[in-house]
Amino acid sequence: MEVTPAQRILSLSHLSAIGVPPPQFIENAAFGGFDAVGLRVAQTAQDRGFRISAGSSLLRETKSALSDNGMRVLDVEVVKLHPGSSRADWSAVLEAGAELNASFLLVTVLDDDYTRAIENFAELAELAGAHGLRACLEPMIFSSVRDMSAAARFVVDARGSDAGLLVDALHWSRAGSQWSELDAIAPELLPYCQLCDAPTDAPAADHNTAITEARTDRLAPGTGALPLVELLRRLPQTAAVSVEAPSARSVTDPRGWTADLGRAARKVLSAATPAPSPAS
């Protein structure tokens, strides 16, 4: 199997094949050369995913798949902070993350009341820490925190929480973000990123199109116009990489699509890896 360049963890986000149950998804990811997975453990009327409850057969099967394939869980998702959010909404995701020894909890904000949102986020981040998870905020133009600069301010304002930020290459481009915004963020706030590709790196024309693209119509890394190599070079070299690329093929051929994503991601990682210094 091809070795992932440098020391970055290469993970596969569940959205890349969201219809595949966690045990099979883990097996497919291992087949594709990934080191880890992200699992969508929220399951509500609005969220696709798989509820992994303590003591459930699905939890046992998922843990067995992780062990059998030498894999780990990078992140669990997703907690969406909305105006009526409370601990009851978060508990199942946090408990699943703790059971699976995940590193990160992915969070989005859908509440335009800034004070309430940062208070809820601070409480969530503290509770996540108690479960062994680091909360990471993902900005999206169709959420209440639209870009990385706003996300960085939000995390700082959230009562000094130890939360991080998740930069997604697609959302980054669709927000019209500039490199100076990323360069201004402290490296310790950027523990991992999400990669995919798209036909253009232009800012989004409207939110509905951006939502559809993000959820169902992404390209494999390195096959489009997003500045993935430059993005990786500006992030900490230890930042993990999660490939999130839902597409039509993720529905019709999830195993083949996963293998293609693994090969494509490793090429991008190789291109972004600095050449070793000449021996003196």
Side-chain angles (χ1 to χ4, degrees):
M1 182 170 57
E2 211 171 326
V3 177
T4 303
Q7 61 266 57
R8 294 189 192 273
I9 294 168
L10 182 60
S11 182
L12 183 66
S13 167
H14 210 160
L15 194 60
S16 297
I18 192 58
V20 180
Q24 183 62 51
F25 180 76
I26 292 163
E27 183 182 326
N28 288 351
F31 174 76
F34 290 89
D35 310 308
V37 293
L39 294 179
R40 182 70 72 99
V41 299
Q43 184 187 40
T44 68
Q46 294 77 35
D47 294 306
R48 298 169 290 171
F50 297 86
R51 182 76 174 262
I52 302 179
S53 304
S56 67
S57 59
L58 182 56
L59 176 61
R60 291 193 297 273
E61 292 164 6
T62 300
K63 285 184 172 181
S64 292
L66 290 167
S67 177
D68 292 346
N69 290 281
M71 300 282 278
R72 56 171 286 192
V73 177
L74 180 68
D75 62 342
V76 291
E77 55 175 311
V78 56
V79 171
K80 298 178 180 179
L81 292 178
H82 52 79
S85 286
S86 69
R87 288 192 176 209
D89 302 319
W90 317 331
S91 59
V93 178
L94 295 176
E95 289 165 6
E99 288 279 1
L100 295 167
N101 293 317
S103 298
F104 304 112
L105 168 72
L106 193 153
V107 184
T108 61
V109 177
L110 304 174
D111 187 353
D112 292 334
D113 185 319
Y114 192 80
T115 299
R116 179 175 58 206
I118 62 172
E119 288 176 353
N120 274 334
F121 183 81
E123 182 180 359
L124 172 60
E126 182 178 2
L127 194 58
H131 285 76
L133 304 164
R134 185 182 185 191
C136 287
L137 175 63
E138 180 179 18
M140 303 177 291
I141 63 165
F142 43 85
S143 73
S144 298
V145 182
R146 300 183 72 258
D147 56 41
M148 290 299 292
S149 293
R153 290 193 299 272
F154 187 97
V155 168
V156 170
D157 288 345
R159 296 207 306 265
S161 78
D162 68 346
L165 303 174
L166 171 63
V167 55
D168 179 300
L170 181 65
H171 297 316
W172 163 267
S173 294
R174 295 299 175 258
S177 300
Q178 303 297 314
W179 294 123
S180 57
E181 300 173 50
L182 187 62
D183 294 343
I185 297 173
E188 59 268 22
L189 291 180
L190 299 166
Y192 76 122
C193 66
Q194 287 180 335
L195 297 189
C196 67
D197 224 321
T200 174
D201 64 350
D206 68 85
H207 287 189
N208 288 334
T209 300
I211 291 172
T212 299
E213 179 185 41
R215 292 178 178 173
T216 64
D217 195 20
R218 304 193 191 199
L219 303 178
T223 64
L226 299 186
L228 304 183
V229 170
E230 181 67 15
L231 175 63
L232 287 173
R233 286 177 175 170
R234 288 174 179 267
L235 291 174
Q237 290 189 16
T238 55
V241 172
S242 175
V243 177
E244 184 174 76
S247 74
R249 277 195 64 204
S250 67
V251 177
T252 61
D253 181 23
R255 188 172 175 88
W257 180 236
T258 294
D260 287 349
L261 290 178
R263 285 189 289 268
R266 289 192 294 275
K267 288 181 181 178
V268 172
L269 286 172
S270 293
T273 302
S277 301
S280 56

